[in-house]
Amino acid sequence: MPRNTPVNVGLIGAGRIGSFHAETVARRLVDANLAAIADPAPGAAQALARKLGADGAYEDVEALLAHPGLDAVIIATPARFHTNVLVQAAEAGKAIFCEKPMALTLEEADRAIAAARAAGVPLQVGFNRRWDQAFAEGKAAIEAGQTGTPQLLRSLTRDPGPFGGDPARIPLWTIFYETLIHDFDTLLWLNAGARPVEVYAIGDALVRPDAKANGFLDTAVVTIRFDNGSIAVAEANFCAMYGYDIRGEVFGSQGMVTMGDVRRSSMMLFDKSGVSSDTWRRDTEHFIHGYTAQLAAFVRSVRGEPGMVPGGEDARAALAIALACIESISRKAPVALG
Ligand SMILES: NC(=O)c1ccc[n+]([C@@H]2O[C@H](COP(=O)([O-])OP(=O)(O)OC[C@H]3O[C@@H](n4cnc5c(N)ncnc54)[C@H](O)[C@@H]3O)[C@@H](O)[C@H]2O)c1
């Protein structure tokens, strides 16, 4: 693809994160064009297309895939639709950026990977933490050997409170499939080359104890043992009253690296009540640079430029840990990974 031709991107799923990604393509990337949008919710695609200046607005995926000149798609539907839409897009020859989780079963993950491979199209998955500056610098320090042999790793996700979701409308196991999957990918990435061999998960409904009887989990801790001897902890909670809290840590034989900060910036206010800092309340503000960088990398890979991006195999590896967590909770026991 010539350097000065913009990559034509279609959005599938014009909800919360899809709308933000569409805005990134239309307004934050110089070499991409938001060509079309599809969403079955009446008027959703049209409204977003009008706002962002996209040519096409459709209610079904097939129509979007037939939009003239479309090079690539962003899949931001609810998770249960990801694999089928991904396979459809691959068969239409489109490059694919798929939000996490790429799939809900290993069979689905294999089907997605095979479809992208058979079509020869790039497949990137939305593990945006890899594109956050602090996490990227931490990874570079680990790779440079500055922390030595990894011994203990930690990754945590605490979503900002107050928790306003309706537990009855949140799919079972969301904490593993959609929240902790970020932490699993982060740990696998930071501990590159090591294979997870044992997973033990405990969880509870501490934010919404009233929903516990239905199997709802809003709090979980997962331990992961790797074949290089290192041990990791991943932790999540749906209601951090002080704001977004996303951090990582790797402790090794030669040192430690920490990544992520609860504070919104280094600004601290000193006044009569003491010292205070603001915190993050929205992921689209906290990760605006990471979200933009991951789509910029996607556009580069659509152009055929090489680069390290989380792909289908990475998504499968993180999913395998999420599935082991579900089994571990169900059996109340550690689960060995094959
Ligand atoms: N990487 C991240 O940090 C991050 C952040 C937020 C959401 N996500 C992921 O993005 C996905 C979407 O999340 P959301 O919060 O934007 O959800 P949402 O419910 O706000 O939006 C989903 C949209 O998809 C549309 N839709 C449903 N079925 C469709 C289909 N078959 N084809 C096209 N569109 C369809 C819905 O009408 C809706 O507009 C989830 O998998 C979620 O885990 C990732």
Side-chain angles (χ1 to χ4, degrees):
M1 176 176 282
R3 274 206 77 82
N4 51 3
T5 313
V7 169
N8 282 319
V9 180
L11 170 72
I12 303 175
R16 194 182 73 79
I17 201 70
S19 300
F20 182 78
H21 289 332
E23 192 180 291
T24 297
V25 171
R27 297 182 176 161
R28 296 184 193 97
L29 299 182
V30 289
D31 50 358
N33 170 47
L34 180 68
I37 299 170
D39 195 301
Q46 286 77 4
L48 190 62
R50 209 173 310 119
K51 178 179 163 201
L52 297 175
D55 284 341
Y58 307 98
E59 289 193 359
D60 72 283
V61 175
E62 219 173 292
L64 174 129
L65 293 173
H67 185 84
L70 197 71
D71 301 305
V73 295
I74 293 172
I75 300 172
T77 67
R80 64 187 183 283
F81 301 115
H82 286 177
T83 305
N84 281 346
V85 173
L86 191 159
V87 170
Q88 227 181 321
E91 287 172 352
K94 309 303 173 194
I96 297 157
F97 176 91
C98 183
E99 262 306 345
K100 40 58 60 168
M102 181 185 74
L104 298 180
T105 65
L106 294 181
E107 293 72 25
E108 277 186 359
D110 290 338
R111 200 155 63 81
I113 292 165
R117 199 168 284 153
V121 294
L123 166 59
Q124 183 176 336
V125 179
F127 290 126
N128 57 288
R129 224 162 279 185
R130 295 190 185 205
W131 306 96
D132 176 80
Q133 188 179 348
F135 280 86
E137 287 181 5
K139 166 78 174 167
I142 294 162
E143 277 194 340
Q146 288 172 276
T147 50
T149 306
Q151 294 173 353
L152 294 168
L153 301 94
R154 175 178 295 268
S155 179
L156 66 88
T157 302
R158 298 180 190 147
D159 289 331
F163 175 70
D166 176 359
R169 297 173 66 93
I170 296 176
L172 203 61
W173 309 121
T174 286
I175 198 161
F176 300 118
Y177 278 132
E178 306 217 21
T179 306
L180 278 159
I181 199 121
H182 278 297
D183 301 276
F184 302 150
D185 177 67
T186 301
L187 292 167
L188 289 165
W189 174 62
L190 294 175
N191 205 5
R195 200 172 58 80
V197 290
E198 186 189 82
V199 170
Y200 182 49
I202 56 173
D204 213 325
L206 302 181
V207 179
R208 288 292 302 267
D210 56 311
K212 183 174 174 164
N214 300 328
F216 176 71
L217 297 179
D218 52 43
T219 306
V221 175
V222 179
T223 58
I224 307 167
R225 188 184 289 278
F226 286 87
D227 67 351
N228 64 354
S230 63
I231 299 168
V233 177
E235 176 200 308
N237 178 282
F238 286 175
C239 182
M241 288 309 291
Y242 50 87
Y244 248 111
D245 188 356
I246 290 175
R247 285 176 282 143
E249 184 180 296
V250 174
F251 172 90
S253 57
Q254 301 300 317
M256 175 180 76
V257 59
T258 68
M259 295 147 277
D261 194 342
V262 178
R263 293 175 308 163
R264 194 182 169 91
S265 77
S266 56
M267 190 279 277
M268 291 196 289
L269 173 66
F270 298 76
D271 66 4
K272 61 181 185 300
S273 50
V275 186
S276 59
S277 288
D278 206 355
T279 59
W280 299 102
R281 293 283 161 180
R282 300 171 70 90
D283 61 332
T284 47
E285 291 175 359
H286 191 343
F287 287 113
I288 186 167
H289 301 298
Y291 280 146
T292 304
Q294 71 175 356
L295 287 182
F298 175 58
V299 166
R300 284 198 299 278
S301 69
V302 178
R303 292 185 179 287
E305 292 176 29
M308 279 294 293
V309 294
E313 295 291 351
D314 297 298
R316 190 190 194 280
L319 174 67
I321 298 179
L323 293 169
C325 289
I326 294 167
E327 189 183 337
S328 175
I329 293 272
S330 308
R331 287 183 22 213
K332 296 186 168 55
V335 169
L337 283 175

Short mmCIF file of all heavy atoms in Angstrom, two decimals, residues 12-18 21 38-41 44 59 61 75-79 81-82 85 99-101 126-128 178 182 283 291 294, ligand 1:
data_model
loop_
_atom_site.label_atom_id
_atom_site.label_comp_id
_atom_site.label_asym_id
_atom_site.label_seq_id
_atom_site.Cartn_x
_atom_site.Cartn_y
_atom_site.Cartn_z
N ILE A 12 -16.92 -2.10 13.63
CA ILE A 12 -18.05 -3.02 13.85
C ILE A 12 -18.37 -2.99 15.35
O ILE A 12 -17.60 -3.48 16.17
CB ILE A 12 -17.70 -4.45 13.38
CG1 ILE A 12 -17.29 -4.44 11.89
CG2 ILE A 12 -18.87 -5.39 13.62
CD1 ILE A 12 -16.82 -5.78 11.37
N GLY A 13 -19.48 -2.36 15.68
CA GLY A 13 -19.86 -2.22 17.10
C GLY A 13 -19.61 -0.79 17.57
O GLY A 13 -18.51 -0.46 17.99
N ALA A 14 -20.66 0.04 17.48
CA ALA A 14 -20.49 1.47 17.79
C ALA A 14 -20.92 1.78 19.22
O ALA A 14 -21.68 2.71 19.46
CB ALA A 14 -21.30 2.30 16.79
N GLY A 15 -20.45 0.95 20.16
CA GLY A 15 -20.78 1.20 21.57
C GLY A 15 -19.74 2.09 22.22
O GLY A 15 -19.16 2.96 21.56
N ARG A 16 -19.47 1.82 23.50
CA ARG A 16 -18.60 2.72 24.25
C ARG A 16 -17.18 2.75 23.69
O ARG A 16 -16.69 3.79 23.26
CB ARG A 16 -18.59 2.31 25.73
CG ARG A 16 -18.01 3.36 26.64
CD ARG A 16 -17.98 2.89 28.07
NE ARG A 16 -16.96 1.89 28.30
CZ ARG A 16 -15.66 2.14 28.47
NH1 ARG A 16 -15.22 3.38 28.41
NH2 ARG A 16 -14.79 1.17 28.68
N ILE A 17 -16.52 1.58 23.65
CA ILE A 17 -15.11 1.62 23.22
C ILE A 17 -15.01 1.73 21.70
O ILE A 17 -14.08 2.35 21.18
CB ILE A 17 -14.32 0.39 23.76
CG1 ILE A 17 -12.82 0.68 23.76
CG2 ILE A 17 -14.62 -0.88 22.98
CD1 ILE A 17 -12.39 1.69 24.78
N GLY A 18 -15.99 1.17 20.99
CA GLY A 18 -15.96 1.27 19.53
C GLY A 18 -16.04 2.73 19.09
O GLY A 18 -15.31 3.16 18.18
N HIS A 21 -12.66 4.25 19.62
CA HIS A 21 -11.69 3.83 18.59
C HIS A 21 -11.99 4.53 17.25
O HIS A 21 -11.07 4.91 16.52
CB HIS A 21 -11.74 2.32 18.39
CG HIS A 21 -11.17 1.54 19.54
ND1 HIS A 21 -10.18 2.01 20.37
CD2 HIS A 21 -11.44 0.27 19.99
CE1 HIS A 21 -9.86 1.09 21.27
NE2 HIS A 21 -10.62 0.03 21.07
N ALA A 38 -20.71 -0.23 11.38
CA ALA A 38 -21.86 -1.14 11.43
C ALA A 38 -22.26 -1.38 12.88
O ALA A 38 -21.40 -1.59 13.74
CB ALA A 38 -21.53 -2.47 10.76
N ASP A 39 -23.56 -1.34 13.12
CA ASP A 39 -24.09 -1.67 14.45
C ASP A 39 -25.58 -1.98 14.27
O ASP A 39 -26.29 -1.23 13.59
CB ASP A 39 -23.91 -0.47 15.41
CG ASP A 39 -24.12 -0.88 16.86
OD1 ASP A 39 -25.23 -1.38 17.20
OD2 ASP A 39 -23.18 -0.72 17.67
N PRO A 40 -26.05 -3.09 14.86
CA PRO A 40 -27.46 -3.46 14.67
C PRO A 40 -28.43 -2.56 15.44
O PRO A 40 -29.62 -2.56 15.13
CB PRO A 40 -27.52 -4.90 15.19
CG PRO A 40 -26.37 -5.03 16.12
CD PRO A 40 -25.32 -4.10 15.64
N ALA A 41 -27.94 -1.80 16.40
CA ALA A 41 -28.85 -0.92 17.16
C ALA A 41 -29.33 0.18 16.22
O ALA A 41 -28.50 0.89 15.63
CB ALA A 41 -28.13 -0.33 18.36
N ALA A 44 -27.59 3.75 15.49
CA ALA A 44 -26.30 3.92 16.17
C ALA A 44 -25.17 4.19 15.18
O ALA A 44 -24.38 5.13 15.36
CB ALA A 44 -25.97 2.68 17.01
N GLU A 59 -26.43 -1.61 9.31
CA GLU A 59 -26.90 -2.33 10.49
C GLU A 59 -26.35 -3.74 10.53
O GLU A 59 -26.49 -4.43 11.54
CB GLU A 59 -28.44 -2.32 10.55
CG GLU A 59 -28.95 -0.92 10.89
CD GLU A 59 -30.39 -0.85 11.28
OE1 GLU A 59 -31.08 -1.88 11.29
OE2 GLU A 59 -30.85 0.28 11.56
N VAL A 61 -23.04 -6.59 9.49
CA VAL A 61 -21.61 -6.70 9.24
C VAL A 61 -21.31 -6.97 7.77
O VAL A 61 -20.36 -6.42 7.20
CB VAL A 61 -21.03 -7.83 10.13
CG1 VAL A 61 -19.56 -8.08 9.84
CG2 VAL A 61 -21.23 -7.50 11.60
N ILE A 75 -13.15 -4.58 15.53
CA ILE A 75 -14.30 -5.30 16.07
C ILE A 75 -14.46 -4.92 17.54
O ILE A 75 -13.59 -5.21 18.37
CB ILE A 75 -14.11 -6.82 15.92
CG1 ILE A 75 -13.95 -7.19 14.44
CG2 ILE A 75 -15.28 -7.58 16.56
CD1 ILE A 75 -13.57 -8.65 14.18
N ALA A 76 -15.57 -4.26 17.85
CA ALA A 76 -15.82 -3.80 19.23
C ALA A 76 -17.25 -4.13 19.64
O ALA A 76 -17.92 -3.36 20.31
CB ALA A 76 -15.54 -2.30 19.34
N THR A 77 -17.70 -5.31 19.21
CA THR A 77 -19.02 -5.80 19.63
C THR A 77 -18.87 -6.41 21.02
O THR A 77 -17.74 -6.61 21.50
CB THR A 77 -19.49 -6.91 18.67
OG1 THR A 77 -18.61 -8.02 18.85
CG2 THR A 77 -19.45 -6.48 17.22
N PRO A 78 -19.97 -6.79 21.67
CA PRO A 78 -19.83 -7.59 22.90
C PRO A 78 -19.03 -8.86 22.60
O PRO A 78 -19.06 -9.40 21.47
CB PRO A 78 -21.28 -7.90 23.28
CG PRO A 78 -22.08 -6.76 22.69
CD PRO A 78 -21.37 -6.44 21.40
N ALA A 79 -18.34 -9.36 23.62
CA ALA A 79 -17.35 -10.43 23.44
C ALA A 79 -17.91 -11.67 22.75
O ALA A 79 -17.22 -12.30 21.95
CB ALA A 79 -16.77 -10.80 24.80
N PHE A 81 -19.72 -12.13 20.36
CA PHE A 81 -19.80 -12.07 18.89
C PHE A 81 -18.42 -12.01 18.22
O PHE A 81 -18.33 -12.08 16.99
CB PHE A 81 -20.60 -10.84 18.45
CG PHE A 81 -22.01 -10.81 18.97
CD1 PHE A 81 -22.42 -9.82 19.85
CD2 PHE A 81 -22.94 -11.78 18.59
CE1 PHE A 81 -23.72 -9.79 20.34
CE2 PHE A 81 -24.23 -11.76 19.07
CZ PHE A 81 -24.64 -10.76 19.95
N HIS A 82 -17.38 -11.82 19.01
CA HIS A 82 -16.07 -11.52 18.41
C HIS A 82 -15.62 -12.54 17.38
O HIS A 82 -15.22 -12.19 16.27
CB HIS A 82 -14.99 -11.37 19.51
CG HIS A 82 -15.11 -10.09 20.27
ND1 HIS A 82 -14.30 -9.77 21.33
CD2 HIS A 82 -15.97 -9.04 20.14
CE1 HIS A 82 -14.65 -8.58 21.82
NE2 HIS A 82 -15.66 -8.12 21.11
N VAL A 85 -17.62 -12.69 14.00
CA VAL A 85 -17.40 -11.48 13.19
C VAL A 85 -15.98 -11.48 12.64
O VAL A 85 -15.74 -11.14 11.48
CB VAL A 85 -17.69 -10.21 14.04
CG1 VAL A 85 -17.29 -8.96 13.28
CG2 VAL A 85 -19.16 -10.14 14.43
N GLU A 99 -11.19 -6.33 19.67
CA GLU A 99 -11.13 -6.06 21.11
C GLU A 99 -11.01 -7.38 21.87
O GLU A 99 -11.38 -8.44 21.38
CB GLU A 99 -12.38 -5.28 21.55
CG GLU A 99 -12.16 -3.79 21.66
CD GLU A 99 -10.97 -3.42 22.57
OE1 GLU A 99 -10.49 -4.27 23.34
OE2 GLU A 99 -10.52 -2.28 22.49
N LYS A 100 -10.50 -7.29 23.08
CA LYS A 100 -10.41 -8.47 23.93
C LYS A 100 -11.77 -8.76 24.53
O LYS A 100 -12.56 -7.83 24.66
CB LYS A 100 -9.38 -8.31 25.05
CG LYS A 100 -9.29 -6.97 25.75
CD LYS A 100 -10.41 -6.32 26.44
CE LYS A 100 -11.17 -6.87 27.56
NZ LYS A 100 -12.06 -5.94 28.26
N PRO A 101 -12.08 -9.99 24.87
CA PRO A 101 -11.35 -11.20 24.54
C PRO A 101 -11.65 -11.57 23.09
O PRO A 101 -12.78 -11.39 22.64
CB PRO A 101 -11.94 -12.22 25.51
CG PRO A 101 -13.37 -11.76 25.72
CD PRO A 101 -13.31 -10.27 25.65
N GLY A 126 -6.82 -6.22 21.27
CA GLY A 126 -6.77 -4.96 22.03
C GLY A 126 -6.21 -5.03 23.44
O GLY A 126 -6.85 -4.56 24.38
N PHE A 127 -5.00 -5.57 23.57
CA PHE A 127 -4.35 -5.55 24.89
C PHE A 127 -3.58 -4.23 25.00
O PHE A 127 -2.36 -4.17 24.84
CB PHE A 127 -3.43 -6.76 25.05
CG PHE A 127 -4.18 -8.06 25.18
CD1 PHE A 127 -3.91 -9.13 24.34
CD2 PHE A 127 -5.17 -8.22 26.14
CE1 PHE A 127 -4.59 -10.32 24.46
CE2 PHE A 127 -5.87 -9.42 26.27
CZ PHE A 127 -5.58 -10.47 25.42
N ASN A 128 -4.32 -3.18 25.32
CA ASN A 128 -3.76 -1.83 25.23
C ASN A 128 -2.70 -1.52 26.28
O ASN A 128 -1.93 -0.60 26.12
CB ASN A 128 -4.89 -0.80 25.34
CG ASN A 128 -5.69 -0.98 26.60
OD1 ASN A 128 -6.46 -1.94 26.72
ND2 ASN A 128 -5.51 -0.10 27.57
N GLU A 178 -13.00 -10.63 30.72
CA GLU A 178 -12.90 -9.27 30.19
C GLU A 178 -12.01 -8.35 31.01
O GLU A 178 -11.48 -7.39 30.48
CB GLU A 178 -14.31 -8.65 30.06
CG GLU A 178 -15.22 -9.54 29.24
CD GLU A 178 -16.19 -8.80 28.35
OE1 GLU A 178 -15.95 -7.62 28.03
OE2 GLU A 178 -17.21 -9.41 27.98
N HIS A 182 -6.69 -8.78 30.70
CA HIS A 182 -5.62 -7.78 30.51
C HIS A 182 -4.40 -8.13 31.37
O HIS A 182 -3.26 -8.01 30.93
CB HIS A 182 -6.11 -6.39 30.96
CG HIS A 182 -6.92 -5.66 29.95
ND1 HIS A 182 -6.43 -5.26 28.74
CD2 HIS A 182 -8.20 -5.20 29.99
CE1 HIS A 182 -7.36 -4.60 28.05
NE2 HIS A 182 -8.45 -4.56 28.79
N ASP A 283 -11.24 5.05 31.44
CA ASP A 283 -10.14 4.39 30.74
C ASP A 283 -9.74 5.16 29.49
O ASP A 283 -8.58 5.19 29.10
CB ASP A 283 -10.52 2.94 30.38
CG ASP A 283 -11.72 2.85 29.46
OD1 ASP A 283 -12.57 3.75 29.49
OD2 ASP A 283 -11.82 1.86 28.69
N TYR A 291 -4.25 3.61 23.79
CA TYR A 291 -5.30 3.26 22.82
C TYR A 291 -4.95 3.80 21.43
O TYR A 291 -5.22 3.16 20.40
CB TYR A 291 -6.65 3.85 23.25
CG TYR A 291 -7.40 3.09 24.33
CD1 TYR A 291 -8.18 3.76 25.27
CD2 TYR A 291 -7.39 1.71 24.40
CE1 TYR A 291 -8.90 3.10 26.25
CE2 TYR A 291 -8.10 1.02 25.38
CZ TYR A 291 -8.86 1.72 26.30
OH TYR A 291 -9.57 1.04 27.25
N GLN A 294 -1.88 1.78 19.96
CA GLN A 294 -2.17 0.42 19.47
C GLN A 294 -2.84 0.48 18.09
O GLN A 294 -2.56 -0.35 17.22
CB GLN A 294 -3.00 -0.38 20.46
CG GLN A 294 -4.45 0.06 20.61
CD GLN A 294 -5.28 -0.84 21.53
OE1 GLN A 294 -4.81 -1.86 22.01
NE2 GLN A 294 -6.51 -0.45 21.75
N1 LIG B 1 -9.23 -2.86 25.67
C1 LIG B 1 -9.98 -2.32 26.61
O1 LIG B 1 -9.47 -1.81 27.58
C2 LIG B 1 -11.47 -2.33 26.47
C3 LIG B 1 -12.23 -1.32 27.07
C4 LIG B 1 -13.61 -1.38 26.93
C5 LIG B 1 -14.21 -2.42 26.23
N2 LIG B 1 -13.44 -3.39 25.69
C6 LIG B 1 -14.04 -4.54 24.98
O2 LIG B 1 -14.74 -4.06 23.84
C7 LIG B 1 -15.92 -4.82 23.64
C8 LIG B 1 -17.13 -3.87 23.59
O3 LIG B 1 -17.24 -3.23 24.83
P1 LIG B 1 -18.16 -1.93 25.01
O4 LIG B 1 -18.03 -1.54 26.44
O5 LIG B 1 -17.86 -0.91 23.99
O6 LIG B 1 -19.62 -2.55 24.76
P2 LIG B 1 -20.96 -1.77 24.36
O7 LIG B 1 -22.06 -2.66 24.83
O8 LIG B 1 -20.92 -0.36 24.83
O9 LIG B 1 -20.95 -1.75 22.77
C9 LIG B 1 -21.14 -2.88 21.96
C10 LIG B 1 -21.79 -2.41 20.66
O10 LIG B 1 -21.80 -3.51 19.75
C11 LIG B 1 -23.06 -3.53 19.08
N3 LIG B 1 -23.29 -4.88 18.57
C12 LIG B 1 -23.86 -5.94 19.17
N4 LIG B 1 -23.84 -7.01 18.36
C13 LIG B 1 -23.25 -6.62 17.21
C14 LIG B 1 -22.94 -7.28 15.99
N5 LIG B 1 -23.23 -8.57 15.81
N6 LIG B 1 -22.35 -6.56 15.02
C15 LIG B 1 -22.05 -5.27 15.19
N7 LIG B 1 -22.29 -4.59 16.34
C16 LIG B 1 -22.89 -5.26 17.34
C17 LIG B 1 -24.06 -3.08 20.13
O11 LIG B 1 -25.25 -2.60 19.56
C18 LIG B 1 -23.26 -1.97 20.83
O12 LIG B 1 -23.44 -0.71 20.22
C19 LIG B 1 -15.97 -5.86 24.76
O13 LIG B 1 -15.44 -7.06 24.32
C20 LIG B 1 -15.08 -5.26 25.83
O14 LIG B 1 -14.45 -6.21 26.65
C21 LIG B 1 -12.08 -3.35 25.78
#
